[in-house]
Amino acid sequence: MKKFLTIMLLATLSATAHSQEANERLHQLETYLKELEYGVSHEQSNTHERGITHRWRTSFPIYLLPHPSNNGNMSEEQRQKVIHSIDSINARREEQMNKALDSIRIAFAALGKYASESYLYEYHKDGTDTIKYSLAFRQEEDSLYSSRYGNQVYFHNAREVASFDYQKGYDSNYNRVNGYGSYQHVYTIPNGITWDDLKPFDFAAFEAQIQPVLKTLKKLKGSKTYPVYWRHDEGFEDNVGNGGLISKVSRQSEYGDNKHTGLTTGTHYFIPIQYKSEAEAIYHQLDSLTHNYVDNHPEQQYTYYYSSRFLPHANITGIVEGHDIRGDKDYHLKCMMDEEGYHILVITTKGELWTPKDWQKLKSYINGEKVYR
């Protein structure tokens, strides 16, 4: 914490409302949150005429374990040892969360007087905590448009926005103290491209860029390629978690009568687990080519995700999503690793994307019916 405070105090307080880069103070905060082992995601997108938008996000879950009841299943000596262990775990969790809260509180308070608008709200009573912060820097001399929901303020046309929402209290359902916070930092760089100038993501041109890399993995012994076919028709339902899905991404729910249908097709590339260095090299090449492509095509609609590696198990890392907002198709380049190896998905979705559980083992998924290879 002392390290963070030193950095914050030495950092310039003269952040202007017309800076061409994202606020350095907020980046320092995000770096410190990473040091506290909170994952901070970063994505870049061009899905509207305001320009290129960067978004940093992180969440702060905290669960304080309750003490065991003395129900006769253990001696009092054993129970006290368990209580001591639980108290140590809870103390570490609270210390980590308090460091994060203090750093966030300092950053928002320091930036408030330089922001175009800022709001700080805190409420603490009997172990219940509520914190809601938001601040914004306007775009040139434009007026800011904002809305309120409870004690949270949301900005809709700012050049840069940061917000933090935190709740903590006793959860009687689980007999424990639960807390959860979410941080978001959004920065938009105008590029002069109007809505009429925006074009759909060029799936074919992008694939031509990455195909040479995908061909190299086919030379690795044991590597495989499989066709992808996931389909759900109108009227079919499958709950995430309880059903056969990992995730369900609604593509057009906000636009007219959405029947929640979708067809996902493409190719699944597999690299055996023993090729760790080769797989990492392929990932970095794909990431580099993708970043270069979207930077050179600001007129195309996309969301690019900054990441440095394959994520394990059910965590599918999206490298890029190519959008066609005026149509009904999306393009996805995704990666994942599991105990068997490394998986790369190159897929196109018409309608909604539903990702089935065990997708890396499936020949097809049609309305909940899975056919394994």
Side-chain angles (χ1 to χ4, degrees):
M1 188 64 194
K2 290 181 179 179
K3 178 181 177 182
F4 176 77
L5 289 171
T6 301
I7 293 173
M8 295 291 280
L9 290 172
L10 291 176
T12 177
L13 290 176
S14 59
T16 69
H18 307 293
S19 171
Q20 294 303 307
E21 296 183 358
N23 193 282
E24 182 60 26
R25 174 63 67 88
L26 293 173
H27 279 337
Q28 291 166 356
L29 170 62
E30 289 146 12
T31 298
Y32 182 68
L33 294 176
K34 289 179 184 178
E35 292 177 5
L36 292 177
E37 299 183 350
Y38 291 105
V40 180
S41 66
H42 178 198
E43 65 187 56
Q44 170 184 326
S45 64
N46 182 24
T47 56
H48 50 67
E49 64 179 357
R50 290 183 55 217
I52 306 297
T53 297
H54 290 263
R55 193 182 307 270
W56 295 265
R57 297 174 180 167
T58 191
S59 58
F60 308 86
I62 180 171
Y63 307 105
L64 301 186
L65 302 175
H67 288 171
S69 60
N70 193 357
N71 54 13
N73 292 330
M74 65 179 76
S75 67
E76 184 59 26
E77 181 180 358
Q78 292 172 324
R79 181 172 174 270
Q80 290 302 320
K81 287 182 179 179
V82 173
I83 289 174
H84 178 73
S85 176
I86 287 174
D87 287 345
S88 297
I89 294 171
N90 287 343
R92 287 195 299 271
R93 291 179 178 179
E94 286 198 292
E95 180 184 20
Q96 182 191 36
M97 190 69 241
N98 286 333
K99 286 180 178 179
L101 289 176
D102 286 343
S103 64
I104 292 167
R105 185 178 286 113
I106 292 169
F108 275 80
L111 284 171
K113 57 185 175 181
Y114 299 101
S116 302
E117 289 187 35
S118 66
Y119 295 84
L120 305 177
Y121 173 84
E122 293 200 33
Y123 175 80
H124 308 279
K125 183 180 180 180
D126 299 332
T128 298
D129 301 311
T130 301
I131 303 174
K132 295 180 183 294
Y133 299 151
S134 56
L135 57 85
F137 296 92
R138 65 173 174 259
Q139 193 75 262
E140 299 299 333
E141 299 302 324
D142 289 352
S143 298
L144 281 177
Y145 296 102
S146 62
S147 60
R148 285 178 177 270
Y149 182 77
N151 291 303
Q152 188 76 54
V153 177
Y154 301 92
F155 299 96
H156 307 291
N157 67 326
R159 173 179 55 82
E160 188 165 19
V161 174
S163 62
F164 177 66
D165 188 353
Y166 178 73
Q167 307 269 345
K168 190 182 82 169
Y170 180 74
D171 188 339
S172 58
N173 292 327
Y174 295 94
N175 188 32
R176 69 185 183 191
V177 174
N178 288 347
Y180 184 80
S182 61
Y183 166 86
Q184 181 168 252
H185 171 201
V186 181
Y187 175 67
T188 300
I189 307 169
N191 59 4
I193 294 177
T194 67
W195 176 259
D196 290 335
D197 295 329
L198 283 174
K199 295 179 172 56
F201 191 78
D202 192 333
F203 307 160
F206 176 73
E207 278 211 27
Q209 295 285 315
I210 65 172
Q211 272 304 317
V213 178
L214 295 174
K215 285 181 179 179
T216 63
L217 72 81
K218 296 180 181 179
K219 299 177 182 179
L220 300 174
K221 186 177 180 180
S223 65
K224 303 287 185 181
T225 60
Y226 305 107
V228 173
Y229 191 89
W230 308 335
R231 193 183 90 208
H232 52 280
D233 299 323
E234 181 180 348
F236 172 70
E237 292 293 337
D238 191 353
N239 293 327
V240 176
N242 295 327
L245 299 179
I246 294 175
S247 64
K248 179 165 61 174
V249 180
S250 179
R251 176 67 174 80
Q252 293 180 330
S253 292
E254 298 178 8
Y255 308 100
D257 186 15
N258 185 6
K259 302 298 184 182
H260 300 287
T261 62
L263 174 63
T264 297
T265 58
T267 305
H268 167 201
Y269 298 86
F270 171 75
I271 304 172
I273 193 67
Q274 63 265 30
Y275 294 110
K276 178 181 179 181
S277 59
E278 291 86 350
E280 289 177 348
I282 287 170
Y283 184 95
H284 289 303
Q285 290 177 65
L286 290 174
D287 176 72
S288 178
L289 287 169
T290 301
H291 197 186
N292 182 67
Y293 183 87
V294 298
D295 279 351
N296 284 311
H297 295 85
E299 79 287 354
Q300 295 183 19
Q301 297 166 330
Y302 68 86
T303 301
Y304 164 72
Y305 301 93
Y306 289 82
S307 185
S308 59
R309 61 188 178 92
F310 285 89
L311 292 181
H313 303 295
N315 296 311
I316 304 176
T317 305
I319 294 181
V320 71
E321 292 179 13
H323 307 295
D324 181 5
I325 293 180
R326 299 171 190 176
D328 61 353
K329 282 189 177 181
D330 274 345
Y331 176 93
H332 302 266
L333 174 59
K334 296 176 176 286
C335 299
M336 188 191 83
M337 69 170 290
D338 60 16
E339 62 277 0
E340 295 183 357
Y342 304 88
H343 305 268
I344 299 171
L345 276 175
V346 182
I347 54 177
T348 301
T349 297
K350 181 178 175 63
E352 289 186 357
L353 171 62
W354 293 17
T355 306
K357 291 178 180 177
D358 296 333
W359 62 265
Q360 65 272 36
K361 303 174 184 178
L362 294 181
K363 181 178 180 181
S364 66
Y365 170 95
I366 303 174
N367 296 328
E369 181 178 345
K370 298 178 181 180
V371 177
Y372 288 83
R373 287 193 301 271

